[in-house]
Amino acid sequence: MSNIYESAANTLGLFNSPCLTKVELRVACKGISDRDALSKPDPCVILKMQSHGQWFEVDRTEVIRSSINPVFSKVFTVDFYFEEVQRLRYELHDISSNHNGLKEADFLGAMECTLGQIVSQRKLSKALLKQGNTAGKSSITVTAEELSGNDDYVELSFSARKLDDKDFFSKSDPFLEIFRMNNDGTGSLVHRTETVMNNLNPVWKTFKVSLNTLCSGDHDRELKCTVWDWDSNGKHDFIGEFQTTFKDMKGALDGRQIQWECINPKYQVKKKNYRNSGVVILNHCKIIKMHSFLDYIMGGCQIQFTVAIDFTASNGDPRNSCSLHYIHPYQPNEYLKALVAVGEICQDYDSDKMFPAFGFGAQIPPDFKVSHDFAVNFDEDNPECAGIQGVVEAYQNCLPKIQLYGPTNIAPIIQKVASSASEEMHTKEAMEYFILLILTDGVITDMADTREAIVHASHLPMSVIIVGVGNADFSDMQMLDGDDGILRSPKGEPVLRDIVQFVPFRQFKHASPAALAKSVLAEVPNQVVDYYNGKGIKPKCLADFESSRTFSP
C-alpha cells in the first residue's frame, strides 16, 4: 500500500517556489468589432495561465454592456515568480445579456504574453488575434502595478441628490466612476458603481476597495470622480465630475457626511447662473484593517482538512479495471491522485496531521444500509486517519467491504463538516478553518439541499473544494462554484461569500498535479482572510510577531 502512496506522491512532485510579489493587472480594450450589426458587444475578458502546455482560467472581468472600448473595473491580482516563465492568455468574449457563462458567448480575440513582459513594460498593448491568429482591428492594453504592503481596505457608501436629468421621457440612470490619478497624469479606474435606474437622487451600494487600489496608499493622491447617465447603446451622457482625495473622504470616518458639487465644465462656461449638476454625498467611510493569510496561520490558525469520497455505483465495480475506483498495483487512480495532490498542500497547515475521511453513496456493513456520511475507516467515533497516507490506506481497505450504490447526495457531508465549523465560529477566534474536499464522479442528485447547505456554510469558517473525477457532464456543478453568478438557496438567500471551488480532474490529466493543487486551492487563502476579516476577528498571538512586521499606518 505504501508503494501506491509513494507512487502517487512521486507522480505529483509538488514544487514550492517563493512568491516574489503580488501584481495587479488592469485591462482595457479598444475598437472591438461588432459581431452583431444591430447591437454593440457586451465584452468580458478572461485571464488564463499556462501550466504544462494547458491553459487554465484564473479569473474574469465583469461584463460591460454595449461597449466597443471597455475599461474594466475588475483588477486581476496574480503572484509574480521571478524564476518562472508565467504565460498569460487574455481572451475577449461577447457575452449575451441573458447568460453570464461562456456557452452563449462569441469569441472576439485573444492576446498571449508573459507576466514578465507586462511587469517590465508596466503597460503592454497588443492586437487581439482572432481564430487562425489573424489580427483584427481591436487591441488590448494591460497595465501592471506591484502591490504595496498596505493591505487595508476602505468601505465607502455614496449617494447623490438633484442630479441633472439627461433623459426626455424618464429620469437619468446614474452611475459613479472613481479614478486614481497617476504620477504621469493618467487615471486608473478604481471602482464603477451599479446603475440606479430612473432616479435623480440615487443611493449606490456600499463597496470595499483596497487602499492600495484606491490611492496607492497615498492619502493625498488626487481622485477624480465622474457621474454618468447610463445609456443602453453604450453612449453614456456625462452629468458632472469632481476632484477629491482619500484624506478628504476620511472626514466621513466619524459618521459625518462629506459632499461635493458635481460640476459639468461646459455648463459652467455656457450657463450664466449655473451652480452645479447635483451633489454627490459620501455617507459612510470605514477603514478595515486587513490581516493576511499568513498573519492567521502564524497566529496559530489550523486548517482542518476533511475528505469525502463518492462510492456510488456509477464509478463501476472496483474489481474491474475500467472502474474509477480500480486499485492498480503501480498507477494511482484519479481519486488517489486528486486526494494526494490537494492533501499534500493542506497537511502543512494542520499540526496533528489527523484527517477525517468520509464516504457517501454506498451500502455499508454490517446491515448494508445506504449512507451518505460514513467513516471510511468504519470508526464513527473517530473517523480521523493519520496523515494523507492514512486516508489512502483507509480508502483502499474499505473498497472490498462496501457495496457501491447511490444516489449522489453531498448535502449530508457538507452539513456534517458545517456543524464542526459552527462550533468553531462561536469561539470568535481564528483557531480552526475547515476545508472539505469532495471527490465525486457524477452530477449530484440533491442539488436543492446542497445549495441550501452551501449558503448556510458560507457564514462559517469553511471552504468546499469539489473535484469531478471521470468524464461525466459536470455543467451543473459550475453553478455551485459561484463564478458565473451568485449562488442562492432554493428560497433565494444568496451566499454570504463564495466558498466553493469546482474543478474537473480531466482538465489536469496531462498537467502536473501541482497545477491541480494550485487551481483547487487558489481561492482558499482569500476565503480564510475574507471570513475572519469580515467578522472582525484578528489573528491570535499577533503581538508575538507584530514587532517584526511593519504595518502601514
Side-chain angles (χ1 to χ4, degrees):
M1 272 164 222
S2 60
N3 286 347
I4 291 184
Y5 175 76
E6 284 162 19
S7 167
N10 291 336
T11 312
L12 299 172
L14 300 169
F15 60 85
N16 284 313
S17 52
C19 167
L20 193 64
T21 186
K22 286 189 179 295
V23 176
E24 286 187 337
L25 302 173
R26 299 166 189 278
V27 185
C29 297
K30 271 191 176 173
I32 302 175
S33 54
D34 294 6
R35 293 291 294 258
D36 183 347
L38 300 176
S39 63
K40 290 180 181 174
D42 300 331
C44 168
V45 170
I46 293 174
L47 173 62
K48 294 184 175 180
M49 196 172 268
Q50 192 178 64
S51 176
H52 292 257
Q54 282 190 290
W55 293 105
F56 303 103
E57 180 176 335
V58 175
D59 208 344
R60 61 180 68 183
T61 66
E62 75 276 21
V63 177
I64 297 182
R65 301 293 174 206
S66 301
S67 179
I68 57 171
N69 300 309
V71 177
F72 298 96
S73 63
K74 167 78 178 184
V75 178
F76 297 129
T77 304
V78 296
D79 290 342
F80 171 58
Y81 296 90
F82 176 74
E83 70 282 14
E84 285 183 34
V85 177
Q86 293 171 274
R87 299 193 184 282
L88 304 180
R89 177 179 169 87
Y90 290 86
E91 289 183 1
L92 179 66
H93 294 266
D94 178 8
I95 310 285
S96 67
S97 57
N98 62 347
H99 195 279
N100 244 1
L102 292 182
K103 288 180 184 171
E104 298 174 41
D106 285 326
F107 173 76
L108 298 181
M111 183 271 281
E112 293 180 15
C113 62
T114 67
L115 184 55
Q117 286 172 325
I118 303 173
V119 169
S120 61
Q121 296 182 38
R122 296 281 175 146
K123 182 185 278 189
L124 179 69
S125 294
K126 289 180 85 171
L128 284 162
L129 300 181
K130 300 190 174 183
Q131 303 284 15
N133 283 344
T134 56
K137 293 179 181 176
S138 50
S139 65
I140 186 168
T141 299
V142 184
T143 310
E145 185 177 344
E146 183 181 348
L147 264 173
S148 75
N150 193 335
D151 296 328
D152 291 353
Y153 272 66
V154 60
E155 191 173 77
L156 300 170
S157 177
F158 285 93
S159 62
R161 67 170 183 266
K162 296 185 179 177
L163 293 176
D164 284 355
D165 193 353
K166 295 287 185 179
D167 295 338
F168 290 113
F169 301 111
S170 63
K171 293 174 180 160
S172 293
D173 307 318
F175 66 91
L176 170 73
E177 289 184 328
I178 301 174
F179 292 85
R180 180 192 71 213
M181 302 312 291
N182 301 318
N183 295 335
D184 61 0
T186 61
S188 295
L189 179 62
V190 167
H191 182 77
R192 180 186 291 122
T193 68
E194 78 284 6
T195 301
V196 177
M197 304 299 286
N198 196 28
N199 195 329
L200 301 180
N201 302 296
V203 178
W204 290 292
K205 288 178 186 171
T206 301
F207 64 92
K208 289 179 191 170
V209 62
S210 76
L211 270 179
N212 189 78
T213 299
L214 180 67
C215 59
S216 302
D218 174 6
H219 294 197
D220 291 311
R221 184 176 291 274
E222 185 180 323
L223 304 173
K224 182 177 178 180
C225 305
T226 53
V227 182
W228 299 84
D229 169 29
W230 179 83
D231 227 322
S232 58
N233 65 6
K235 294 181 179 177
H236 312 306
D237 295 315
F238 177 71
I239 293 177
E241 64 186 20
F242 60 93
Q243 276 78 34
T244 186
T245 63
F246 180 59
K247 188 176 182 180
D248 291 342
M249 289 182 176
K250 287 195 295 184
L253 278 172
D254 56 4
R256 291 186 299 123
Q257 288 185 335
I258 307 289
Q259 62 182 45
W260 299 268
E261 288 188 280
C262 192
I263 302 296
N264 185 324
K266 285 185 181 176
Y267 291 176
Q268 212 172 19
V269 172
K270 288 181 182 176
K271 295 186 176 181
K272 192 175 182 182
N273 297 319
Y274 176 77
R275 287 183 61 197
N276 58 52
S277 294
V279 174
V280 174
I281 304 142
L282 176 59
N283 302 295
H284 166 85
C285 175
K286 178 182 175 186
I287 294 177
I288 303 165
K289 182 73 197 168
M290 292 301 283
H291 299 288
S292 72
F293 178 63
L294 279 180
D295 287 341
Y296 287 104
I297 295 301
M298 291 168 73
C301 184
Q302 296 282 302
I303 299 294
Q304 298 295 340
F305 179 58
T306 302
V307 181
I309 300 171
D310 181 338
F311 290 110
T312 54
S314 54
N315 283 282
D317 185 340
R319 293 168 295 187
N320 187 318
S321 61
C322 296
S323 168
L324 290 167
H325 280 304
Y326 179 68
I327 301 298
H328 191 281
Y330 307 111
Q331 180 63 32
N333 62 33
E334 288 188 10
Y335 278 98
L336 281 172
K337 284 181 179 177
L339 164 64
V340 177
V342 179
E344 286 278 288
I345 304 288
C346 290
Q347 69 178 0
D348 288 344
Y349 302 101
D350 187 333
S351 58
D352 69 0
K353 305 286 188 286
M354 298 296 289
F355 306 118
F358 297 97
F360 58 93
Q363 294 175 320
I364 61 168
D367 51 10
F368 285 91
K369 285 184 179 172
V370 177
S371 172
H372 296 293
D373 57 355
F374 66 92
V376 173
N377 64 3
F378 299 114
D379 184 348
E380 296 299 328
D381 295 327
N382 182 19
E384 294 189 329
C385 305
I388 298 303
Q389 182 170 355
V391 178
V392 170
E393 291 174 0
Y395 161 72
Q396 291 172 326
N397 288 338
C398 94
L399 274 172
K401 299 172 185 171
I402 60 173
Q403 182 64 51
L404 272 56
Y405 206 69
T408 309
N409 292 351
I410 64 171
I413 194 66
I414 295 174
Q415 290 159 354
K416 192 173 200 116
V417 176
S419 68
S420 299
S422 185
E423 290 174 27
E424 163 67 11
M425 182 183 77
H426 295 307
T427 67
K428 297 191 174 163
E429 291 185 341
M431 292 311 292
E432 289 186 324
Y433 189 92
F434 293 78
I435 294 179
L436 170 60
L437 171 65
I438 299 175
L439 305 171
T440 179
D441 85 311
V443 180
I444 56 177
T445 44
D446 62 341
M447 183 59 88
D449 288 344
T450 296
R451 282 164 51 204
E452 184 80 49
I454 289 169
V455 168
H456 169 66
S458 72
H459 293 260
L460 305 173
M462 176 174 169
S463 295
V464 180
I465 295 165
I466 304 173
V467 177
V469 175
N471 295 311
D473 177 8
F474 291 116
S475 51
D476 282 353
M477 303 289 247
Q478 301 288 358
M479 183 177 78
L480 300 177
D481 197 312
D483 288 346
D484 285 352
I486 296 172
L487 176 72
R488 295 178 182 272
S489 74
K491 296 172 190 166
E493 182 190 352
V495 286
L496 181 67
R497 37 187 206 102
D498 178 14
I499 64 165
V500 177
Q501 176 78 336
F502 171 75
V503 176
F505 186 86
R506 60 174 170 257
Q507 284 188 0
F508 294 86
K509 262 189 171 173
H510 305 295
S512 83
L516 169 67
K518 217 170 187 177
S519 180
V520 298
L521 294 171
E523 295 180 12
V524 168
N526 283 338
Q527 289 169 352
V528 172
V529 165
D530 286 350
Y531 173 77
Y532 288 121
N533 278 311
K535 295 277 184 188
I537 298 173
K538 295 179 180 177
K540 288 271 285 178
C541 314
L542 194 58
D544 296 343
F545 63 95
E546 197 167 41
S547 57
S548 64
R549 189 173 181 272
T550 50
F551 286 87
S552 300

PDB file of all heavy atoms in Angstrom, residues 123-150:
ATOM      1  N   LYS A 123       3.133  48.789 -19.001  1.00  0.00           N
ATOM      2  CA  LYS A 123       1.901  48.847 -19.792  1.00  0.00           C
ATOM      3  C   LYS A 123       2.169  48.156 -21.126  1.00  0.00           C
ATOM      4  O   LYS A 123       3.109  48.523 -21.835  1.00  0.00           O
ATOM      5  CB  LYS A 123       1.474  50.288 -20.021  1.00  0.00           C
ATOM      6  CG  LYS A 123       0.169  50.424 -20.797  1.00  0.00           C
ATOM      7  CD  LYS A 123      -0.169  51.873 -21.111  1.00  0.00           C
ATOM      8  CE  LYS A 123      -0.833  52.554 -19.934  1.00  0.00           C
ATOM      9  NZ  LYS A 123      -1.363  53.887 -20.289  1.00  0.00           N
ATOM     10  N   LEU A 124       1.369  47.159 -21.435  1.00  0.00           N
ATOM     11  CA  LEU A 124       1.576  46.376 -22.665  1.00  0.00           C
ATOM     12  C   LEU A 124       0.309  46.455 -23.515  1.00  0.00           C
ATOM     13  O   LEU A 124      -0.775  46.110 -23.054  1.00  0.00           O
ATOM     14  CB  LEU A 124       1.878  44.922 -22.306  1.00  0.00           C
ATOM     15  CG  LEU A 124       2.109  43.960 -23.473  1.00  0.00           C
ATOM     16  CD1 LEU A 124       3.411  44.271 -24.187  1.00  0.00           C
ATOM     17  CD2 LEU A 124       2.120  42.515 -22.976  1.00  0.00           C
ATOM     18  N   SER A 125       0.443  46.930 -24.744  1.00  0.00           N
ATOM     19  CA  SER A 125      -0.687  46.991 -25.682  1.00  0.00           C
ATOM     20  C   SER A 125      -0.378  46.103 -26.882  1.00  0.00           C
ATOM     21  O   SER A 125       0.696  46.213 -27.475  1.00  0.00           O
ATOM     22  CB  SER A 125      -0.925  48.421 -26.160  1.00  0.00           C
ATOM     23  OG  SER A 125      -1.338  49.239 -25.098  1.00  0.00           O
ATOM     24  N   LYS A 126      -1.328  45.245 -27.227  1.00  0.00           N
ATOM     25  CA  LYS A 126      -1.137  44.343 -28.371  1.00  0.00           C
ATOM     26  C   LYS A 126      -2.465  44.149 -29.084  1.00  0.00           C
ATOM     27  O   LYS A 126      -3.539  44.316 -28.492  1.00  0.00           O
ATOM     28  CB  LYS A 126      -0.605  42.975 -27.890  1.00  0.00           C
ATOM     29  CG  LYS A 126       0.835  43.009 -27.396  1.00  0.00           C
ATOM     30  CD  LYS A 126       1.306  41.642 -26.930  1.00  0.00           C
ATOM     31  CE  LYS A 126       1.830  40.786 -28.054  1.00  0.00           C
ATOM     32  NZ  LYS A 126       2.487  39.551 -27.561  1.00  0.00           N
ATOM     33  N   ALA A 127      -2.375  43.755 -30.341  1.00  0.00           N
ATOM     34  CA  ALA A 127      -3.591  43.456 -31.101  1.00  0.00           C
ATOM     35  C   ALA A 127      -4.206  42.155 -30.594  1.00  0.00           C
ATOM     36  O   ALA A 127      -3.492  41.250 -30.153  1.00  0.00           O
ATOM     37  CB  ALA A 127      -3.251  43.329 -32.585  1.00  0.00           C
ATOM     38  N   LEU A 128      -5.517  42.091 -30.651  1.00  0.00           N
ATOM     39  CA  LEU A 128      -6.208  40.850 -30.302  1.00  0.00           C
ATOM     40  C   LEU A 128      -6.274  39.972 -31.545  1.00  0.00           C
ATOM     41  O   LEU A 128      -6.711  40.424 -32.611  1.00  0.00           O
ATOM     42  CB  LEU A 128      -7.620  41.154 -29.791  1.00  0.00           C
ATOM     43  CG  LEU A 128      -7.681  41.705 -28.362  1.00  0.00           C
ATOM     44  CD1 LEU A 128      -9.019  42.386 -28.107  1.00  0.00           C
ATOM     45  CD2 LEU A 128      -7.460  40.582 -27.349  1.00  0.00           C
ATOM     46  N   LEU A 129      -5.818  38.732 -31.419  1.00  0.00           N
ATOM     47  CA  LEU A 129      -5.791  37.814 -32.560  1.00  0.00           C
ATOM     48  C   LEU A 129      -7.060  36.980 -32.573  1.00  0.00           C
ATOM     49  O   LEU A 129      -7.492  36.450 -31.545  1.00  0.00           O
ATOM     50  CB  LEU A 129      -4.570  36.897 -32.482  1.00  0.00           C
ATOM     51  CG  LEU A 129      -3.200  37.599 -32.475  1.00  0.00           C
ATOM     52  CD1 LEU A 129      -2.085  36.568 -32.429  1.00  0.00           C
ATOM     53  CD2 LEU A 129      -3.048  38.515 -33.688  1.00  0.00           C
ATOM     54  N   LYS A 130      -7.644  36.856 -33.767  1.00  0.00           N
ATOM     55  CA  LYS A 130      -8.863  36.058 -33.909  1.00  0.00           C
ATOM     56  C   LYS A 130      -8.488  34.612 -34.232  1.00  0.00           C
ATOM     57  O   LYS A 130      -7.319  34.245 -34.233  1.00  0.00           O
ATOM     58  CB  LYS A 130      -9.744  36.670 -35.000  1.00  0.00           C
ATOM     59  CG  LYS A 130     -10.154  38.105 -34.665  1.00  0.00           C
ATOM     60  CD  LYS A 130     -11.213  38.617 -35.606  1.00  0.00           C
ATOM     61  CE  LYS A 130     -11.683  39.981 -35.140  1.00  0.00           C
ATOM     62  NZ  LYS A 130     -12.756  40.527 -35.960  1.00  0.00           N
ATOM     63  N   GLN A 131      -9.502  33.791 -34.501  1.00  0.00           N
ATOM     64  CA  GLN A 131      -9.251  32.396 -34.855  1.00  0.00           C
ATOM     65  C   GLN A 131      -8.297  32.364 -36.040  1.00  0.00           C
ATOM     66  O   GLN A 131      -8.438  33.137 -36.982  1.00  0.00           O
ATOM     67  CB  GLN A 131     -10.566  31.691 -35.248  1.00  0.00           C
ATOM     68  CG  GLN A 131     -11.646  31.743 -34.168  1.00  0.00           C
ATOM     69  CD  GLN A 131     -11.391  30.789 -33.029  1.00  0.00           C
ATOM     70  OE1 GLN A 131     -10.292  30.275 -32.891  1.00  0.00           O
ATOM     71  NE2 GLN A 131     -12.385  30.552 -32.184  1.00  0.00           N
ATOM     72  N   GLY A 132      -7.322  31.473 -35.990  1.00  0.00           N
ATOM     73  CA  GLY A 132      -6.337  31.392 -37.061  1.00  0.00           C
ATOM     74  C   GLY A 132      -5.224  32.416 -36.919  1.00  0.00           C
ATOM     75  O   GLY A 132      -4.455  32.647 -37.845  1.00  0.00           O
ATOM     76  N   ASN A 133      -5.177  33.058 -35.734  1.00  0.00           N
ATOM     77  CA  ASN A 133      -4.127  34.031 -35.405  1.00  0.00           C
ATOM     78  C   ASN A 133      -4.068  35.223 -36.370  1.00  0.00           C
ATOM     79  O   ASN A 133      -3.002  35.762 -36.643  1.00  0.00           O
ATOM     80  CB  ASN A 133      -2.752  33.358 -35.344  1.00  0.00           C
ATOM     81  CG  ASN A 133      -2.591  32.594 -34.051  1.00  0.00           C
ATOM     82  OD1 ASN A 133      -3.350  32.810 -33.101  1.00  0.00           O
ATOM     83  ND2 ASN A 133      -1.631  31.697 -34.008  1.00  0.00           N
ATOM     84  N   THR A 134      -5.227  35.618 -36.896  1.00  0.00           N
ATOM     85  CA  THR A 134      -5.253  36.810 -37.743  1.00  0.00           C
ATOM     86  C   THR A 134      -5.556  38.021 -36.865  1.00  0.00           C
ATOM     87  O   THR A 134      -6.419  37.966 -35.982  1.00  0.00           O
ATOM     88  CB  THR A 134      -6.341  36.688 -38.828  1.00  0.00           C
ATOM     89  OG1 THR A 134      -7.599  36.446 -38.191  1.00  0.00           O
ATOM     90  CG2 THR A 134      -6.033  35.555 -39.779  1.00  0.00           C
ATOM     91  N   ALA A 135      -4.825  39.098 -37.101  1.00  0.00           N
ATOM     92  CA  ALA A 135      -5.010  40.305 -36.287  1.00  0.00           C
ATOM     93  C   ALA A 135      -6.221  41.080 -36.772  1.00  0.00           C
ATOM     94  O   ALA A 135      -6.380  41.322 -37.966  1.00  0.00           O
ATOM     95  CB  ALA A 135      -3.756  41.168 -36.370  1.00  0.00           C
ATOM     96  N   GLY A 136      -7.083  41.445 -35.833  1.00  0.00           N
ATOM     97  CA  GLY A 136      -8.228  42.285 -36.167  1.00  0.00           C
ATOM     98  C   GLY A 136      -7.889  43.740 -35.883  1.00  0.00           C
ATOM     99  O   GLY A 136      -6.731  44.095 -35.686  1.00  0.00           O
ATOM    100  N   LYS A 137      -8.917  44.576 -35.828  1.00  0.00           N
ATOM    101  CA  LYS A 137      -8.698  46.000 -35.550  1.00  0.00           C
ATOM    102  C   LYS A 137      -8.693  46.283 -34.049  1.00  0.00           C
ATOM    103  O   LYS A 137      -8.333  47.370 -33.630  1.00  0.00           O
ATOM    104  CB  LYS A 137      -9.793  46.833 -36.223  1.00  0.00           C
ATOM    105  CG  LYS A 137      -9.729  46.787 -37.752  1.00  0.00           C
ATOM    106  CD  LYS A 137     -10.854  47.602 -38.364  1.00  0.00           C
ATOM    107  CE  LYS A 137     -10.801  47.541 -39.889  1.00  0.00           C
ATOM    108  NZ  LYS A 137     -11.941  48.253 -40.517  1.00  0.00           N
ATOM    109  N   SER A 138      -9.123  45.301 -33.275  1.00  0.00           N
ATOM    110  CA  SER A 138      -9.238  45.547 -31.835  1.00  0.00           C
ATOM    111  C   SER A 138      -7.917  45.270 -31.120  1.00  0.00           C
ATOM    112  O   SER A 138      -7.105  44.462 -31.566  1.00  0.00           O
ATOM    113  CB  SER A 138     -10.350  44.684 -31.239  1.00  0.00           C
ATOM    114  OG  SER A 138     -10.217  43.351 -31.628  1.00  0.00           O
ATOM    115  N   SER A 139      -7.711  45.970 -29.999  1.00  0.00           N
ATOM    116  CA  SER A 139      -6.477  45.802 -29.233  1.00  0.00           C
ATOM    117  C   SER A 139      -6.798  45.728 -27.749  1.00  0.00           C
ATOM    118  O   SER A 139      -7.900  46.091 -27.312  1.00  0.00           O
ATOM    119  CB  SER A 139      -5.526  46.973 -29.491  1.00  0.00           C
ATOM    120  OG  SER A 139      -6.095  48.177 -28.987  1.00  0.00           O
ATOM    121  N   ILE A 140      -5.825  45.263 -26.984  1.00  0.00           N
ATOM    122  CA  ILE A 140      -5.975  45.150 -25.537  1.00  0.00           C
ATOM    123  C   ILE A 140      -4.764  45.790 -24.878  1.00  0.00           C
ATOM    124  O   ILE A 140      -3.646  45.695 -25.388  1.00  0.00           O
ATOM    125  CB  ILE A 140      -6.133  43.677 -25.104  1.00  0.00           C
ATOM    126  CG1 ILE A 140      -6.433  43.579 -23.601  1.00  0.00           C
ATOM    127  CG2 ILE A 140      -4.910  42.835 -25.460  1.00  0.00           C
ATOM    128  CD1 ILE A 140      -6.887  42.178 -23.181  1.00  0.00           C
ATOM    129  N   THR A 141      -5.007  46.479 -23.789  1.00  0.00           N
ATOM    130  CA  THR A 141      -3.920  47.105 -23.025  1.00  0.00           C
ATOM    131  C   THR A 141      -3.969  46.574 -21.598  1.00  0.00           C
ATOM    132  O   THR A 141      -5.027  46.611 -20.955  1.00  0.00           O
ATOM    133  CB  THR A 141      -4.053  48.638 -23.009  1.00  0.00           C
ATOM    134  OG1 THR A 141      -3.981  49.118 -24.350  1.00  0.00           O
ATOM    135  CG2 THR A 141      -2.945  49.270 -22.188  1.00  0.00           C
ATOM    136  N   VAL A 142      -2.847  46.061 -21.122  1.00  0.00           N
ATOM    137  CA  VAL A 142      -2.745  45.553 -19.752  1.00  0.00           C
ATOM    138  C   VAL A 142      -1.727  46.399 -19.008  1.00  0.00           C
ATOM    139  O   VAL A 142      -0.610  46.589 -19.485  1.00  0.00           O
ATOM    140  CB  VAL A 142      -2.316  44.067 -19.730  1.00  0.00           C
ATOM    141  CG1 VAL A 142      -2.306  43.548 -18.301  1.00  0.00           C
ATOM    142  CG2 VAL A 142      -3.237  43.224 -20.603  1.00  0.00           C
ATOM    143  N   THR A 143      -2.117  46.922 -17.866  1.00  0.00           N
ATOM    144  CA  THR A 143      -1.231  47.748 -17.043  1.00  0.00           C
ATOM    145  C   THR A 143      -0.916  47.020 -15.748  1.00  0.00           C
ATOM    146  O   THR A 143      -1.827  46.483 -15.094  1.00  0.00           O
ATOM    147  CB  THR A 143      -1.912  49.099 -16.715  1.00  0.00           C
ATOM    148  OG1 THR A 143      -2.402  49.670 -17.923  1.00  0.00           O
ATOM    149  CG2 THR A 143      -0.934  50.053 -16.073  1.00  0.00           C
ATOM    150  N   ALA A 144       0.357  46.954 -15.397  1.00  0.00           N
ATOM    151  CA  ALA A 144       0.782  46.223 -14.195  1.00  0.00           C
ATOM    152  C   ALA A 144       1.202  47.185 -13.105  1.00  0.00           C
ATOM    153  O   ALA A 144       1.766  48.249 -13.370  1.00  0.00           O
ATOM    154  CB  ALA A 144       1.946  45.290 -14.528  1.00  0.00           C
ATOM    155  N   GLU A 145       0.907  46.774 -11.872  1.00  0.00           N
ATOM    156  CA  GLU A 145       1.322  47.568 -10.729  1.00  0.00           C
ATOM    157  C   GLU A 145       1.625  46.620  -9.578  1.00  0.00           C
ATOM    158  O   GLU A 145       0.836  45.718  -9.282  1.00  0.00           O
ATOM    159  CB  GLU A 145       0.195  48.528 -10.342  1.00  0.00           C
ATOM    160  CG  GLU A 145       0.583  49.484  -9.245  1.00  0.00           C
ATOM    161  CD  GLU A 145      -0.558  50.453  -8.951  1.00  0.00           C
ATOM    162  OE1 GLU A 145      -1.479  50.571  -9.782  1.00  0.00           O
ATOM    163  OE2 GLU A 145      -0.522  51.063  -7.887  1.00  0.00           O
ATOM    164  N   GLU A 146       2.763  46.807  -8.960  1.00  0.00           N
ATOM    165  CA  GLU A 146       3.112  45.951  -7.827  1.00  0.00           C
ATOM    166  C   GLU A 146       2.283  46.355  -6.623  1.00  0.00           C
ATOM    167  O   GLU A 146       2.068  47.534  -6.358  1.00  0.00           O
ATOM    168  CB  GLU A 146       4.603  46.100  -7.499  1.00  0.00           C
ATOM    169  CG  GLU A 146       5.048  45.186  -6.371  1.00  0.00           C
ATOM    170  CD  GLU A 146       6.523  45.345  -6.039  1.00  0.00           C
ATOM    171  OE1 GLU A 146       7.239  45.987  -6.825  1.00  0.00           O
ATOM    172  OE2 GLU A 146       6.938  44.843  -4.994  1.00  0.00           O
ATOM    173  N   LEU A 147       1.786  45.351  -5.902  1.00  0.00           N
ATOM    174  CA  LEU A 147       1.012  45.632  -4.697  1.00  0.00           C
ATOM    175  C   LEU A 147       1.952  46.064  -3.583  1.00  0.00           C
ATOM    176  O   LEU A 147       2.935  45.387  -3.297  1.00  0.00           O
ATOM    177  CB  LEU A 147       0.258  44.371  -4.253  1.00  0.00           C
ATOM    178  CG  LEU A 147      -1.194  44.261  -4.710  1.00  0.00           C
ATOM    179  CD1 LEU A 147      -1.739  42.896  -4.349  1.00  0.00           C
ATOM    180  CD2 LEU A 147      -2.044  45.336  -4.090  1.00  0.00           C
ATOM    181  N   SER A 148       1.613  47.168  -2.947  1.00  0.00           N
ATOM    182  CA  SER A 148       2.440  47.602  -1.817  1.00  0.00           C
ATOM    183  C   SER A 148       2.044  46.799  -0.586  1.00  0.00           C
ATOM    184  O   SER A 148       1.126  45.992  -0.617  1.00  0.00           O
ATOM    185  CB  SER A 148       2.212  49.087  -1.551  1.00  0.00           C
ATOM    186  OG  SER A 148       0.963  49.277  -0.914  1.00  0.00           O
ATOM    187  N   GLY A 149       2.713  47.052   0.523  1.00  0.00           N
ATOM    188  CA  GLY A 149       2.423  46.293   1.745  1.00  0.00           C
ATOM    189  C   GLY A 149       1.145  46.723   2.425  1.00  0.00           C
ATOM    190  O   GLY A 149       0.767  46.152   3.437  1.00  0.00           O
ATOM    191  N   ASN A 150       0.454  47.750   1.884  1.00  0.00           N
ATOM    192  CA  ASN A 150      -0.751  48.228   2.557  1.00  0.00           C
ATOM    193  C   ASN A 150      -1.939  47.376   2.143  1.00  0.00           C
ATOM    194  O   ASN A 150      -2.490  47.535   1.063  1.00  0.00           O
ATOM    195  CB  ASN A 150      -0.994  49.701   2.188  1.00  0.00           C
ATOM    196  CG  ASN A 150      -2.039  50.333   3.086  1.00  0.00           C
ATOM    197  OD1 ASN A 150      -2.886  49.639   3.629  1.00  0.00           O
ATOM    198  ND2 ASN A 150      -1.964  51.642   3.241  1.00  0.00           N
TER     199      ASN A 150
END
